Amino acid sequence: MDLDLNEAQKQVVLAEKGPILVVAGAGTGKTKTLVHKLAHLVKNGTNPESILLLTFTRRAAKEMIGRASLVLDHRMMSVRGGTFHSFCHHFLRKYSGVLSMDSNFTILDEEDTIGFVGMARDQVVTSGTKVRFPKKETLAEIFSASFNLQLSLEKYLQKEYPMFLGITKEIQEIKTKFFDLKQKHNSLDFDDLLENTRKILMSDETIRQRLSSVYQYILVDEYQDTNRIQAHIACLLASVHQNILVVGDDAQCIYGFRGASVHNMLDFPKIFPNTKTIQLTENYRSVQSILNLANSILESSTENYKKKLVSAVSKKSEPPFLVPFESLDEEAIWISTKILELYEEKIPLSEIAVLFRSGYSSHLLEVQLNAKKIPYRKYGGKRFLDLAHVKDIIAYLKVIENPKDFLSWNRVLLLEDSIGKKYSQILYKKLETNQFFWKDDEHFFLGLPENTKKSFSKLMECLESLDPKKHSVNFILENILTHYLPILDLQYDDSEKRKHDLDALVLISKKESNLSDYLSNLILNPVEGKELGTLDSKEDDFLTLSTIHSAKGLEWKVVFTMQVVEGNLPNHRIRTTEELEEERRLFYVAITRAKDLLYLTNPAFNDKNRFTSVSRFISDLPDKNLLLETILGTVPNENKEAQEESQNGTKINPFQNIQNYFLN
């Protein structure tokens, strides 16, 4: 087997059995190293069926095993590879009896889970309930997130949904009934698969021993993305033989909201004191000037393995650009124009990406891309005009512009209290009969309930006070929002987040004097695929818009990172040092997606039209030219005392050490 690897990669592949931590920097050939490690194990006598490869997607496992087969031979197809959840599923089919469960349990998908939560909610929230409760979808998210973050229900509500703290007891009751329903119907959701597997592995030594003989070598990909439960399961599987290799980049641990913990990597040598730590730092993706910035960003981190990425790409390069603007509008216009310039310079759109911290950050840019007929696809959050609350506002505007628009009338009427499908149709017919003139008289409201009359009258008073011939688009929109925002708060549990999207509508409206032009500019469908307008391009040549979270693991020749300002990156919601460090890692991920060119944009005013400053991750850099290479030292010995104890011959119980770490 030809080892076409650098020295650090060879160290990983040729390492003896025992616990191994591979700290793989961005773009350093992590997957290639894992593939060769798998092949090397089998080539040197390890039964492929005794190797367990745990990944975060089925596709990743399949791809690695397929590549390992090309490196060695067909024996590699017998390696057991899959996700944590798929492993736990098969494990519980065999051992669920330990927990007095039937092995023919049903696995609930997301829709099924929400259905069960809804049934539990209906048992607690009755028609007489006078307090607002979270919707079933929100409750399902609350229960899952509190589990994956290992937070009590009360602490999670305090952090994410403080408006529901007053009904914590009732929400706990819904959770209890939800669990009772699952038990009654012999059903498990995705979180139950993890939790029940962990329970069995913790409680039954015989099963742990049996699995150690079945799976003699454990490999875990993207270990920085594991939550505490997943990491515990992986370590328990290796508690007897300690043959476990985990690969990840602590600097790319960015899914804290899902429960991923950077400490799973940082503390791995504490769990297995004889861990061999190997760093991969030779980067095959980015030019050195981009890596200089990435290295400098991490220098100030308080939670990482100190490492310095070195480029294996030998080409001349420009340093990353920091581009300031007065406003978000200017930022969107400049980025869209620059993308056209790059396209004219023969850089395919598919080699360009625009990244952002939150989905709403791209809304103004999307309008510009539509106007310039630049095809794009957005990942991580819905496209601007597909958002339900944006559609609501557009429906109000359409009704003002065209009173005969039945679909828009139906949408706005259904938003009102005490107006359902039946009364919506009746009211539209009455409006149509009156040529869309409305008078607050008894004849118009004949046969309608009093509450319906009040809601409709309030809506009409708002709409009829707005005349597109007399009032500016901005004035109309501001007045509609005054009417709509209380509805938004009642309709959506995450209304505060959605208000950012509506702020973008207001910003756009300031440039339009005509309501008809405003709507047409918004609604004209974005061009995609073959319909490339002025761009003579291939069907699959489209620009990528993506949240940074969704861009992890991907790469482009040119990357724009938008709104690198305080309050956005880092996010305004950060409260702790731990949260700040995750934001720093998020910025690092954005930087390291770029191969050749990186643009960081910096508008002076945010979506609330408030002044903001460039991100502290930039302002705190030791070299504002972003050219200085910073030497970052070596990996600290995190657990010297424990290693010395092990080397001195004191016997350490691996299982007990794992339990002490995860349960204390």
Side-chain angles (χ1 to χ4, degrees):
M1 183 173 66
D2 179 29
L3 291 183
D4 178 25
L5 305 167
N6 64 39
E7 287 307 309
Q9 291 170 333
K10 285 178 184 176
Q11 279 186 54
V12 176
V13 172
L14 301 176
E16 299 292 327
K17 289 185 177 181
I20 301 170
L21 170 65
V22 182
V23 182
T28 56
K30 165 187 70 72
T31 301
K32 180 180 180 181
T33 306
L34 259 180
V35 163
H36 277 80
K37 181 67 178 180
L38 285 167
H40 180 76
L41 285 170
V42 173
K43 183 173 181 279
N44 285 272
T46 304
N47 181 349
E49 293 184 3
S50 72
I51 300 172
L52 176 63
L53 171 64
L54 293 171
T55 62
F56 275 84
T57 64
R58 183 181 172 190
R59 180 175 148 194
K62 188 176 179 182
E63 180 190 339
M64 275 191 265
I65 291 169
R67 284 175 60 178
S69 297
L70 295 175
V71 171
L72 190 60
D73 54 45
H74 69 278
R75 284 177 290 170
M76 300 308 304
M77 300 308 291
S78 298
V79 168
R80 310 285 179 88
T83 65
F84 278 92
H85 288 97
S86 65
F87 167 79
C88 293
H89 163 231
H90 292 297
F91 174 83
L92 290 173
R93 290 292 182 200
K94 192 168 185 179
Y95 296 110
S96 57
V98 174
L99 299 177
S100 301
M101 285 172 47
D102 290 337
S103 61
N104 62 337
F105 57 82
T106 297
I107 298 177
L108 303 174
D109 62 18
E110 186 178 357
E111 188 177 338
D112 296 331
T113 299
I114 290 170
F116 267 39
V117 171
M119 291 166 64
R121 185 184 187 276
D122 290 343
Q123 293 178 35
V124 176
V125 184
T126 63
S127 56
T129 302
K130 295 181 180 179
V131 180
R132 178 191 166 201
F133 272 76
K135 296 179 179 179
K136 59 185 179 181
E137 294 83 0
T138 305
L139 286 167
E141 187 269 323
I142 288 170
F143 299 155
S144 181
S146 61
F147 166 76
N148 284 291
L149 290 164
Q150 295 288 276
L151 290 175
S152 68
L153 194 61
E154 184 175 7
K155 283 187 177 178
Y156 184 74
L157 289 174
Q158 196 169 22
K159 186 172 183 281
E160 297 293 339
Y161 293 95
M163 72 285 274
F164 297 129
L165 269 173
I167 52 170
T168 302
K169 183 180 176 183
E170 290 83 354
I171 293 176
Q172 182 61 59
E173 187 181 352
I174 295 171
K175 183 179 179 182
T176 301
K177 291 185 181 298
F178 167 52
F179 275 75
D180 290 344
L181 279 168
K182 288 189 290 183
Q183 191 169 16
K184 177 182 176 182
H185 295 285
N186 195 32
S187 300
L188 300 178
D189 62 24
F190 285 4
D191 296 334
D192 296 327
L193 293 175
L194 296 175
E195 180 62 2
N196 289 333
T197 297
R198 183 171 72 153
K199 280 181 183 175
I200 294 171
L201 289 174
M202 283 195 299
S203 63
D204 198 310
E205 184 180 356
T206 303
I207 291 176
R208 287 199 307 275
Q209 291 280 354
R210 191 179 304 162
L211 256 68
S212 73
S213 62
V214 174
Y215 302 116
Q216 295 169 21
Y217 209 105
I218 315 294
L219 295 96
V220 187
D221 187 27
E222 302 285 10
Y223 192 65
Q224 81 281 346
D225 292 340
T226 55
N227 62 29
R228 199 167 177 82
I229 300 100
Q230 291 164 327
H232 195 177
I233 289 169
C235 292
L236 285 167
L237 289 171
S239 62
V240 176
H241 51 59
Q242 300 187 62
N243 294 326
I244 179 170
L245 182 149
V246 299
V247 183
D249 185 1
D250 53 302
Q252 295 189 69
C253 181
I254 59 173
Y255 297 118
F257 60 93
R258 294 182 193 164
S261 173
V262 70
H263 292 286
N264 288 345
M265 283 201 69
L266 297 180
D267 294 346
F268 189 79
K270 294 180 183 177
I271 301 165
F272 296 101
N274 56 332
T275 293
K276 180 172 186 177
T277 301
I278 303 170
Q279 287 197 5
L280 304 183
T281 57
E282 191 170 354
N283 178 286
Y284 296 92
R285 174 188 299 153
S286 306
V287 294
Q288 189 62 52
S289 60
I290 289 172
L291 298 183
N292 288 343
L293 175 60
N295 290 333
S296 295
I297 293 298
L298 287 187
E299 186 183 29
S300 303
S301 174
T302 57
E303 294 183 331
N304 71 341
Y305 286 104
K306 299 299 181 184
K307 58 182 176 291
K308 178 185 173 185
L309 295 179
V310 179
S311 178
V313 180
S314 56
K315 62 166 74 170
K316 288 184 178 180
S317 63
E318 295 182 90
F321 295 94
L322 179 64
V323 191
F325 302 99
E326 279 294 315
S327 67
L328 294 173
D329 270 342
E330 285 185 15
E331 178 189 49
I333 293 166
W334 184 85
I335 291 174
S336 59
T337 304
K338 188 66 182 177
I339 288 167
L340 278 180
E341 287 178 17
L342 292 167
Y343 179 80
E344 291 302 324
E345 292 169 11
K346 307 302 181 188
I347 296 178
L349 293 175
S350 58
E351 286 286 357
I352 306 172
V354 184
L355 308 183
F356 31 84
R357 174 65 178 80
S358 304
Y360 63 78
S361 297
S362 70
H363 294 340
L364 295 177
L365 176 61
E366 289 178 56
V367 173
Q368 291 296 326
L369 295 175
N370 292 342
K372 291 181 171 68
K373 301 196 182 302
I374 299 174
Y376 68 89
R377 292 184 190 170
K378 184 175 179 180
Y379 302 91
K382 288 185 178 180
R383 284 159 43 138
F384 187 35
L385 296 180
D386 292 337
L387 299 166
H389 45 297
V390 172
K391 286 184 174 181
D392 290 345
I393 298 299
I394 290 174
Y396 286 109
L397 297 175
K398 283 182 174 180
V399 163
I400 292 171
E401 185 199 29
N402 173 23
K404 295 181 181 179
D405 187 333
F406 167 71
L407 291 177
S408 295
W409 269 115
N410 188 56
R411 188 176 189 101
V412 299
L413 286 169
L414 289 174
L415 289 170
E416 298 296 325
D417 187 39
S418 302
I419 301 179
K421 290 181 181 178
K422 175 184 173 183
Y423 291 132
S424 170
Q425 291 175 6
I426 291 172
L427 286 165
Y428 180 79
K429 284 289 183 187
K430 286 178 178 289
L431 283 166
E432 191 176 41
T433 302
N434 286 0
Q435 281 80 49
F436 297 95
F437 287 101
W438 168 75
K439 292 181 181 178
D440 189 1
D441 59 30
E442 291 183 9
H443 176 72
F444 189 93
F445 289 113
L446 194 64
L448 295 173
E450 187 63 27
N451 286 343
T452 301
K453 174 185 173 181
K454 285 181 181 177
S455 293
F456 181 74
S457 298
K458 188 178 178 183
L459 169 66
M460 294 307 294
E461 284 167 8
C462 170
L463 294 177
E464 293 203 330
S465 69
L466 303 172
D467 186 345
K469 294 178 181 177
K470 295 179 182 177
H471 299 130
S472 69
V473 180
N474 187 251
F475 179 87
I476 292 171
L477 198 50
E478 293 282 9
N479 279 270
I480 286 173
L481 287 173
T482 300
H483 175 82
Y484 177 72
L485 289 180
I487 295 172
L488 181 76
D489 288 333
L490 289 172
Q491 286 278 112
Y492 303 103
D493 293 329
D494 60 347
S495 59
E496 287 303 314
K497 295 178 184 176
R498 293 174 185 258
K499 287 173 186 175
H500 283 289
D501 306 319
L502 304 183
D503 290 336
L505 280 174
V506 174
L507 275 173
I508 298 165
S509 74
K510 290 178 179 178
K511 287 197 165 186
E512 295 284 357
S513 57
N514 181 281
L515 180 59
S516 181
D517 290 344
Y518 176 76
L519 281 171
S520 61
N521 286 338
L522 271 181
I523 297 163
L524 284 175
N525 290 326
V527 188
E528 286 201 29
K530 296 177 184 176
E531 303 169 32
L532 294 177
T534 57
L535 295 179
D536 180 19
S537 186
K538 295 179 182 177
E539 183 178 348
D540 61 350
D541 191 20
F542 55 85
L543 174 73
T544 295
L545 304 185
S546 177
T547 60
I548 302 170
H549 285 100
S550 297
K552 184 173 162 291
L554 303 176
E555 59 186 47
W556 296 269
K557 279 187 178 179
V558 184
V559 169
F560 297 82
T561 301
M562 298 180 69
Q563 296 172 29
V564 185
V565 295
E566 285 294 300
N568 187 59
L569 194 62
N571 189 267
H572 69 282
R573 296 182 70 199
I574 59 168
R575 296 289 181 271
T576 65
T577 301
E578 202 169 57
E579 289 171 343
L580 176 64
E581 288 308 310
E582 179 154 331
E583 292 291 301
R584 188 190 307 278
R585 295 193 293 269
L586 193 63
F587 187 36
Y588 169 86
V589 168
I591 291 166
T592 53
R593 300 310 93 200
K595 297 187 202 175
D596 298 343
L597 277 174
L598 175 65
Y599 297 94
L600 308 174
T601 59
N602 168 33
F605 290 88
N606 64 18
D607 54 352
K608 301 287 187 185
N609 210 29
R610 293 175 186 152
F611 180 77
T612 187
S613 56
V614 69
S615 168
R616 71 190 74 179
F617 302 141
I618 294 293
S619 61
D620 291 349
L621 284 172
D623 182 353
K624 299 301 186 295
N625 293 320
L626 313 178
L627 293 173
L628 181 67
E629 290 189 11
T630 307
I631 299 171
L632 296 178
T634 57
V635 179
N637 190 335
E638 298 284 348
N639 204 23
K640 186 178 179 182
E641 289 181 8
Q643 286 199 5
E644 286 175 352
E645 182 184 36
S646 180
Q647 289 164 3
N648 290 336
T650 305
K651 189 173 181 182
I652 295 173
N653 183 325
F655 171 69
Q656 197 55 53
N657 202 38
I658 290 167
Q659 294 300 87
N660 288 341
Y661 175 79
F662 282 101
L663 300 182
N664 291 335

PDB file of all heavy atoms in Angstrom, residues 259-276:
ATOM      1  N   GLY A 259     -25.422  21.042  21.286  1.00  0.00           N
ATOM      2  CA  GLY A 259     -24.821  20.280  22.374  1.00  0.00           C
ATOM      3  C   GLY A 259     -23.382  19.896  22.143  1.00  0.00           C
ATOM      4  O   GLY A 259     -22.741  19.323  23.024  1.00  0.00           O
ATOM      5  N   ALA A 260     -22.838  20.184  20.942  1.00  0.00           N
ATOM      6  CA  ALA A 260     -21.430  19.862  20.684  1.00  0.00           C
ATOM      7  C   ALA A 260     -20.545  20.623  21.668  1.00  0.00           C
ATOM      8  O   ALA A 260     -20.765  21.795  21.934  1.00  0.00           O
ATOM      9  CB  ALA A 260     -21.055  20.231  19.251  1.00  0.00           C
ATOM     10  N   SER A 261     -19.550  19.932  22.200  1.00  0.00           N
ATOM     11  CA  SER A 261     -18.675  20.547  23.206  1.00  0.00           C
ATOM     12  C   SER A 261     -17.217  20.420  22.802  1.00  0.00           C
ATOM     13  O   SER A 261     -16.728  19.311  22.528  1.00  0.00           O
ATOM     14  CB  SER A 261     -18.892  19.883  24.569  1.00  0.00           C
ATOM     15  OG  SER A 261     -17.935  20.352  25.497  1.00  0.00           O
ATOM     16  N   VAL A 262     -16.514  21.551  22.771  1.00  0.00           N
ATOM     17  CA  VAL A 262     -15.093  21.538  22.448  1.00  0.00           C
ATOM     18  C   VAL A 262     -14.313  20.731  23.478  1.00  0.00           C
ATOM     19  O   VAL A 262     -13.229  20.203  23.196  1.00  0.00           O
ATOM     20  CB  VAL A 262     -14.556  22.985  22.345  1.00  0.00           C
ATOM     21  CG1 VAL A 262     -14.502  23.660  23.704  1.00  0.00           C
ATOM     22  CG2 VAL A 262     -13.191  23.023  21.666  1.00  0.00           C
ATOM     23  N   HIS A 263     -14.854  20.595  24.692  1.00  0.00           N
ATOM     24  CA  HIS A 263     -14.151  19.869  25.753  1.00  0.00           C
ATOM     25  C   HIS A 263     -14.067  18.374  25.476  1.00  0.00           C
ATOM     26  O   HIS A 263     -13.228  17.687  26.068  1.00  0.00           O
ATOM     27  CB  HIS A 263     -14.814  20.139  27.101  1.00  0.00           C
ATOM     28  CG  HIS A 263     -14.633  21.556  27.545  1.00  0.00           C
ATOM     29  ND1 HIS A 263     -13.438  22.041  28.027  1.00  0.00           N
ATOM     30  CD2 HIS A 263     -15.487  22.615  27.525  1.00  0.00           C
ATOM     31  CE1 HIS A 263     -13.565  23.329  28.307  1.00  0.00           C
ATOM     32  NE2 HIS A 263     -14.797  23.704  28.009  1.00  0.00           N
ATOM     33  N   ASN A 264     -14.912  17.866  24.576  1.00  0.00           N
ATOM     34  CA  ASN A 264     -14.773  16.457  24.203  1.00  0.00           C
ATOM     35  C   ASN A 264     -13.400  16.204  23.585  1.00  0.00           C
ATOM     36  O   ASN A 264     -12.807  15.141  23.779  1.00  0.00           O
ATOM     37  CB  ASN A 264     -15.879  16.050  23.224  1.00  0.00           C
ATOM     38  CG  ASN A 264     -17.234  15.964  23.898  1.00  0.00           C
ATOM     39  OD1 ASN A 264     -17.330  15.929  25.127  1.00  0.00           O
ATOM     40  ND2 ASN A 264     -18.294  15.936  23.103  1.00  0.00           N
ATOM     41  N   MET A 265     -12.885  17.190  22.843  1.00  0.00           N
ATOM     42  CA  MET A 265     -11.541  17.068  22.282  1.00  0.00           C
ATOM     43  C   MET A 265     -10.474  17.496  23.280  1.00  0.00           C
ATOM     44  O   MET A 265      -9.471  16.806  23.469  1.00  0.00           O
ATOM     45  CB  MET A 265     -11.418  17.905  21.003  1.00  0.00           C
ATOM     46  CG  MET A 265     -12.069  17.271  19.794  1.00  0.00           C
ATOM     47  SD  MET A 265     -11.417  17.912  18.249  1.00  0.00           S
ATOM     48  CE  MET A 265      -9.756  17.270  18.238  1.00  0.00           C
ATOM     49  N   LEU A 266     -10.691  18.644  23.914  1.00  0.00           N
ATOM     50  CA  LEU A 266      -9.665  19.174  24.822  1.00  0.00           C
ATOM     51  C   LEU A 266      -9.403  18.235  25.995  1.00  0.00           C
ATOM     52  O   LEU A 266      -8.274  18.139  26.489  1.00  0.00           O
ATOM     53  CB  LEU A 266     -10.092  20.549  25.346  1.00  0.00           C
ATOM     54  CG  LEU A 266     -10.256  21.664  24.294  1.00  0.00           C
ATOM     55  CD1 LEU A 266     -10.689  22.964  24.964  1.00  0.00           C
ATOM     56  CD2 LEU A 266      -8.972  21.875  23.505  1.00  0.00           C
ATOM     57  N   ASP A 267     -10.439  17.527  26.449  1.00  0.00           N
ATOM     58  CA  ASP A 267     -10.307  16.682  27.640  1.00  0.00           C
ATOM     59  C   ASP A 267     -10.122  15.195  27.325  1.00  0.00           C
ATOM     60  O   ASP A 267     -10.087  14.376  28.240  1.00  0.00           O
ATOM     61  CB  ASP A 267     -11.542  16.847  28.537  1.00  0.00           C
ATOM     62  CG  ASP A 267     -11.644  18.254  29.123  1.00  0.00           C
ATOM     63  OD1 ASP A 267     -10.644  18.988  29.045  1.00  0.00           O
ATOM     64  OD2 ASP A 267     -12.714  18.610  29.640  1.00  0.00           O
ATOM     65  N   PHE A 268     -10.010  14.859  26.046  1.00  0.00           N
ATOM     66  CA  PHE A 268      -9.846  13.445  25.685  1.00  0.00           C
ATOM     67  C   PHE A 268      -8.660  12.795  26.398  1.00  0.00           C
ATOM     68  O   PHE A 268      -8.768  11.672  26.902  1.00  0.00           O
ATOM     69  CB  PHE A 268      -9.714  13.313  24.163  1.00  0.00           C
ATOM     70  CG  PHE A 268      -9.747  11.892  23.669  1.00  0.00           C
ATOM     71  CD1 PHE A 268     -10.945  11.207  23.541  1.00  0.00           C
ATOM     72  CD2 PHE A 268      -8.572  11.229  23.324  1.00  0.00           C
ATOM     73  CE1 PHE A 268     -10.979   9.894  23.081  1.00  0.00           C
ATOM     74  CE2 PHE A 268      -8.584   9.929  22.861  1.00  0.00           C
ATOM     75  CZ  PHE A 268      -9.800   9.252  22.740  1.00  0.00           C
ATOM     76  N   PRO A 269      -7.510  13.497  26.499  1.00  0.00           N
ATOM     77  CA  PRO A 269      -6.375  12.883  27.219  1.00  0.00           C
ATOM     78  C   PRO A 269      -6.624  12.700  28.717  1.00  0.00           C
ATOM     79  O   PRO A 269      -5.900  11.947  29.374  1.00  0.00           O
ATOM     80  CB  PRO A 269      -5.221  13.873  26.972  1.00  0.00           C
ATOM     81  CG  PRO A 269      -5.606  14.616  25.742  1.00  0.00           C
ATOM     82  CD  PRO A 269      -7.095  14.751  25.838  1.00  0.00           C
ATOM     83  N   LYS A 270      -7.611  13.393  29.276  1.00  0.00           N
ATOM     84  CA  LYS A 270      -7.955  13.165  30.676  1.00  0.00           C
ATOM     85  C   LYS A 270      -8.734  11.865  30.839  1.00  0.00           C
ATOM     86  O   LYS A 270      -8.619  11.175  31.853  1.00  0.00           O
ATOM     87  CB  LYS A 270      -8.796  14.329  31.217  1.00  0.00           C
ATOM     88  CG  LYS A 270      -8.061  15.655  31.285  1.00  0.00           C
ATOM     89  CD  LYS A 270      -8.979  16.738  31.825  1.00  0.00           C
ATOM     90  CE  LYS A 270      -8.283  18.096  31.830  1.00  0.00           C
ATOM     91  NZ  LYS A 270      -9.185  19.172  32.294  1.00  0.00           N
ATOM     92  N   ILE A 271      -9.525  11.537  29.840  1.00  0.00           N
ATOM     93  CA  ILE A 271     -10.327  10.310  29.883  1.00  0.00           C
ATOM     94  C   ILE A 271      -9.436   9.100  29.639  1.00  0.00           C
ATOM     95  O   ILE A 271      -9.561   8.065  30.300  1.00  0.00           O
ATOM     96  CB  ILE A 271     -11.453  10.378  28.826  1.00  0.00           C
ATOM     97  CG1 ILE A 271     -12.339  11.590  29.087  1.00  0.00           C
ATOM     98  CG2 ILE A 271     -12.291   9.114  28.827  1.00  0.00           C
ATOM     99  CD1 ILE A 271     -13.232  11.957  27.919  1.00  0.00           C
ATOM    100  N   PHE A 272      -8.527   9.217  28.670  1.00  0.00           N
ATOM    101  CA  PHE A 272      -7.551   8.161  28.377  1.00  0.00           C
ATOM    102  C   PHE A 272      -6.150   8.752  28.570  1.00  0.00           C
ATOM    103  O   PHE A 272      -5.573   9.343  27.649  1.00  0.00           O
ATOM    104  CB  PHE A 272      -7.722   7.653  26.940  1.00  0.00           C
ATOM    105  CG  PHE A 272      -9.047   6.990  26.669  1.00  0.00           C
ATOM    106  CD1 PHE A 272     -10.058   7.667  26.012  1.00  0.00           C
ATOM    107  CD2 PHE A 272      -9.294   5.693  27.097  1.00  0.00           C
ATOM    108  CE1 PHE A 272     -11.281   7.069  25.764  1.00  0.00           C
ATOM    109  CE2 PHE A 272     -10.512   5.082  26.853  1.00  0.00           C
ATOM    110  CZ  PHE A 272     -11.511   5.770  26.189  1.00  0.00           C
ATOM    111  N   PRO A 273      -5.583   8.617  29.768  1.00  0.00           N
ATOM    112  CA  PRO A 273      -4.306   9.282  30.092  1.00  0.00           C
ATOM    113  C   PRO A 273      -3.123   8.902  29.207  1.00  0.00           C
ATOM    114  O   PRO A 273      -2.164   9.650  29.121  1.00  0.00           O
ATOM    115  CB  PRO A 273      -4.056   8.872  31.543  1.00  0.00           C
ATOM    116  CG  PRO A 273      -5.418   8.580  32.086  1.00  0.00           C
ATOM    117  CD  PRO A 273      -6.169   7.961  30.953  1.00  0.00           C
ATOM    118  N   ASN A 274      -3.182   7.737  28.566  1.00  0.00           N
ATOM    119  CA  ASN A 274      -2.060   7.341  27.699  1.00  0.00           C
ATOM    120  C   ASN A 274      -2.312   7.713  26.235  1.00  0.00           C
ATOM    121  O   ASN A 274      -1.758   7.111  25.307  1.00  0.00           O
ATOM    122  CB  ASN A 274      -1.792   5.840  27.816  1.00  0.00           C
ATOM    123  CG  ASN A 274      -3.032   5.006  27.495  1.00  0.00           C
ATOM    124  OD1 ASN A 274      -4.150   5.473  27.682  1.00  0.00           O
ATOM    125  ND2 ASN A 274      -2.826   3.788  27.031  1.00  0.00           N
ATOM    126  N   THR A 275      -3.130   8.722  26.024  1.00  0.00           N
ATOM    127  CA  THR A 275      -3.465   9.183  24.667  1.00  0.00           C
ATOM    128  C   THR A 275      -2.230   9.688  23.925  1.00  0.00           C
ATOM    129  O   THR A 275      -1.421  10.437  24.470  1.00  0.00           O
ATOM    130  CB  THR A 275      -4.512  10.315  24.725  1.00  0.00           C
ATOM    131  OG1 THR A 275      -5.738   9.789  25.205  1.00  0.00           O
ATOM    132  CG2 THR A 275      -4.740  10.943  23.361  1.00  0.00           C
ATOM    133  N   LYS A 276      -2.141   9.297  22.653  1.00  0.00           N
ATOM    134  CA  LYS A 276      -1.124   9.861  21.771  1.00  0.00           C
ATOM    135  C   LYS A 276      -1.814  10.947  20.937  1.00  0.00           C
ATOM    136  O   LYS A 276      -2.799  10.678  20.252  1.00  0.00           O
ATOM    137  CB  LYS A 276      -0.540   8.789  20.854  1.00  0.00           C
ATOM    138  CG  LYS A 276       0.537   9.337  19.920  1.00  0.00           C
ATOM    139  CD  LYS A 276       1.244   8.220  19.153  1.00  0.00           C
ATOM    140  CE  LYS A 276       2.406   8.800  18.345  1.00  0.00           C
ATOM    141  NZ  LYS A 276       3.166   7.756  17.646  1.00  0.00           N
TER     142      LYS A 276
END
